[in-house]
Amino acid sequence: MVGLNWAYSFCDYCIGNAHEKVLMLRENLVSTYDDSKSSVEYWVCPQCGSNKKL
């Protein structure tokens, strides 16, 4: 079984601007805006903070 955080691919933004290969992390984000407690999975770069929705 795969955990909530695992490396998937390289960050496009970091490769394009800084020429660095930074691995994206899979994060499960939970909405605190309402009481539905809905969650969405994103790929998040730990260095620059860019993200991609799954």
Side-chain angles (χ1 to χ4, degrees):
M1 182 172 168
V2 177
L4 291 179
N5 297 330
W6 55 283
Y8 174 70
S9 65
F10 295 113
C11 175
D12 297 334
Y13 186 78
C14 288
I15 288 176
N17 292 324
H19 305 292
E20 297 180 9
K21 291 185 177 180
V22 180
L23 292 174
M24 302 281 280
L25 300 174
R26 184 177 179 177
E27 295 286 340
N28 192 9
L29 303 177
V30 178
S31 172
T32 58
Y33 179 71
D34 55 6
D35 292 333
S36 66
K37 303 295 185 209
S38 59
S39 65
V40 179
E41 290 185 344
Y42 281 89
W43 294 112
V44 180
C45 177
Q47 185 167 336
C48 70
S50 66
N51 56 58
K52 296 179 183 179
K53 187 176 179 181
L54 291 177

